[in-house]
Amino acid sequence: MGIMDKFKDLGTAYDDVKSAGRDPFSVRFDEILSPTEGVIDGKKTILLGTNNYLGLTFDKRSVEQAVSVLRESGTGTTGSRIANGSYGWHQRLENDLAEFFGRRHAMMFTTGYQANLGIIATLAGRDDHLVIDADSHACIYDACKLTSAQVTRFKHNDPVDLGKRLSRLKSQGGNIIVVTEGIFSMLGDKAPLREIAAVTKKFGAYLVVDEAHSMGVLGVNGRGLAEEQGVEDQVDFILGTFSKSLGAIGGFCVSNIDDFDLLRVACRPYMFTASLPASVVASVVTSLEKVQKGQFLREKLMGNAKRLYDGLQSAGFHVGPDVSPVVAVQLPSPEMAVAYWNALLDEGLYVNLALPPATPMGQALLRSSVSAVHTHQQIDKAISLITKVSRDFGAIIPERITSVG
Ligand SMILES: Cc1ncc(COP(=O)(O)O)c(C=O)c1O
């Protein structure tokens, strides 16, 4: 057997997806015109799948800051912080993040994926227990592969099931670390964090929340779901990314735990990879100020999210359980989702195609992410294009789609 033979089934499935039109896993933007518009295959296209929640990728001050630091500090750091040292900008952003979240400590990673991988896998030692939401993002699952702790899943967003599992684990000794997310990335649903925090603390466990899709989006100050639900004091570690509402790349963890800085010499996805270029970090420093003062942007974002969610729901589509900037339409089969996705691109609308096994309950989804800087016209056009494509497929009228899921 050849080394690539194990990917044969994957290759067949990939070929099937590609045979329906474009390759959804290697879309190329000819040009990015703004946070909400690009050119794909020569066609001007509404971007409704970029996680650019506050539209900060083209923020003038952030761009200028990045350019000036790029000139001062060069294109990259060429090494990890423990081997090659930190730049002033790394420390500045960590201080700003700690202050923003009202925590004593912050640590930055090169991506959000690495922040999750590193913190979760490192915190959980051999005699400990990791208890994760079943619908966790791949980076949380990958952290489970890296750890030597025992891993348990609890039913998605189910504090009662979590409680049952914690009560069983409690007698086994070791620390228990519960992991969940703020807004879940595929369906846009929120964790019932107040209830989850209460159960977690009842059993003396630690709570880790990945606010990747909720930082900058939820809470009066943009600190995420823990702020919105008033449980920040019960969350021991907040994880997040700079690649969504902050419009750049990178990840972080904030905490009040004693001896936090020991993680810098224990956490391999921090230690053995190059740190972020100072220019990127500098742009995030500026974008974080925008997030902090971004209540107006958040109101616009939630208005847009509601407009898209309500519009699609009243057109008959089956959307996720909560209104949030992630709005996913469930379709009856992966084949149909691929066909819709291609047809929508032909019409000038870019959304994400999300297929099993990357989706909860094996659903086939057209996943949208709304931005504060989408206009009402763009949102309305997206609704009408999704509805039009649905009607163009003839038998597939939206009413039938509601029976899915
Ligand atoms: C919930 C969640 N956590 C972490 C990540 C990883 O973030 P990054 O893209 O910054 O690596 C993602 C990315 O989509 C995500 O959805």
Side-chain angles (χ1 to χ4, degrees), residues 223-287:
R223 294 198 296 265
L225 185 67
E227 184 193 0
E228 186 185 80
Q229 297 201 357
V231 292
E232 285 173 286
D233 57 340
Q234 293 170 61
V235 180
D236 301 286
F237 298 88
I238 289 187
L239 295 164
T241 175
F242 307 150
S243 72
K244 303 186 196 304
S245 62
L246 288 158
I249 184 166
F252 69 89
C253 175
V254 294
S255 179
N256 275 335
I257 203 98
D258 289 342
D259 298 326
F260 180 85
D261 281 330
L262 283 176
L263 289 170
R264 294 186 196 272
V265 286
C267 181
R268 296 166 72 88
Y270 175 85
M271 296 161 71
F272 295 105
T273 194
S275 62
L276 285 169
S279 56
V280 170
V281 179
S283 86
V284 177
V285 165
T286 305
S287 295

Side-chain angles (χ1 to χ4, degrees), residues 180-184 189-191 193 209-212 214 218 225:
T180 190
E181 297 176 24
I183 292 176
F184 282 82
D189 48 339
K190 296 182 202 173
L193 203 52
V209 179
D210 179 7
E211 299 265 20
S214 34
L218 300 178
L225 185 67

Side-chain angles (χ1 to χ4, degrees), residues 51 111-114 116 137 139 181 183 185 210 212-213 241-244 250:
N51 303 318
T111 65
Y113 175 92
Q114 284 162 298
N116 275 269
H137 187 265
C139 60
E181 297 176 24
I183 292 176
S185 59
D210 179 7
H213 292 270
T241 175
F242 307 150
S243 72
K244 303 186 196 304

